[in-house]
Amino acid sequence: VVQIEIQSGDGVFGGGQGTGFIISADGQVVTNAHVVEDATDIKVMLYDGSIKPAELVQQDPTRDLAVLKIEGEDLPAARLGISAEVEVGDEVLAIGNALGLGDTPTVTTGIVSALERELQLSGSRLTRLIQTDAAINPGNSGGPLVNANGEVIGVNTAIAGNAEGIGFAISIDHARPVIETLQTGE
């Protein structure tokens, strides 16, 4: 799990914060498209505190997914699970850069509250979402929703602002083909 900080057109870092997770030993990172939207410069902080520049490989704002690339080899990659096997009541962890509070990710716990949710965000409709009561906060976007086996089953993407304990993650089964397309940069 990595922390992401972007610089936007005003030239100031901290223009946006989010989370990502490494999916390949050579440094491909998955995050939400809205985390890197309007970024002119992207920095990624690894688990050991080192900071690396990141390039945007490709993004799909309609699915709210993006793939970044950082330099590296033998990086620890997250294991992707199968969200079709997820059931309501399963225990999950949400990992991310909640509110940009520190140099290490925040981990929250909860359960899967519902499956197959839909959400209308500005201009795009996200489908096949996993709903969870694990606390998801600004800065968690793009981070993994992980099952009890430590496998990524979702990409944390949104919260219900007028409620408590209602967060949403893009199911990994739904995200996987999009991620594979984005990885090629085409």
Side-chain angles (χ1 to χ4, degrees):
V1 177
V2 299
Q3 296 185 47
I4 297 171
E5 194 166 322
I6 71 153
Q7 179 179 350
S8 52
D10 58 13
V12 177
F13 264 102
Q17 294 176 326
T19 306
F21 54 95
I22 299 170
I23 57 166
S24 67
D26 67 349
Q28 287 194 310
V29 175
V30 170
T31 189
N32 285 138
H34 78 259
V35 168
V36 294
E37 187 177 30
D38 302 326
T40 56
D41 202 11
I42 305 169
K43 290 196 183 328
V44 169
M45 182 164 48
L46 301 183
Y47 53 90
D48 63 2
S50 63
I51 296 174
K52 295 184 176 267
E55 294 291 323
L56 176 63
V57 175
Q58 189 67 266
Q59 64 179 326
D60 182 347
T62 64
R63 301 287 180 87
D64 200 15
L65 291 167
V67 173
L68 310 177
K69 177 75 170 76
I70 58 173
E71 289 301 316
E73 48 190 55
D74 297 326
L75 294 169
R79 289 191 330 263
L80 303 186
I82 301 169
S83 51
E85 296 174 355
V86 173
E87 296 181 357
V88 172
D90 284 356
E91 292 183 358
V92 290
L93 299 174
I95 306 172
N97 183 19
L99 303 179
L101 289 174
D103 293 339
T104 58
T106 298
V107 178
T108 56
T109 184
I111 61 167
V112 172
S113 304
L115 299 167
E116 300 292 328
R117 292 293 200 219
E118 290 190 12
L119 202 57
Q120 182 69 43
L121 298 176
S122 57
S124 63
R125 180 170 205 71
L126 299 179
T127 60
R128 297 181 59 196
L129 297 171
I130 298 170
Q131 181 182 325
T132 181
D133 68 349
I136 295 176
N137 292 287
N140 275 105
S141 290
L145 186 69
V146 179
N147 66 15
N149 296 325
E151 299 165 329
V152 178
I153 57 161
V155 182
N156 299 325
T157 195
I159 53 175
N162 56 349
E164 278 195 35
I166 299 180
F168 300 97
I170 301 165
S171 69
I172 202 65
D173 291 355
H174 195 50
R176 189 180 277 112
V178 178
I179 292 167
E180 288 170 358
T181 302
L182 295 177
Q183 283 179 282
T184 66
E186 295 171 7

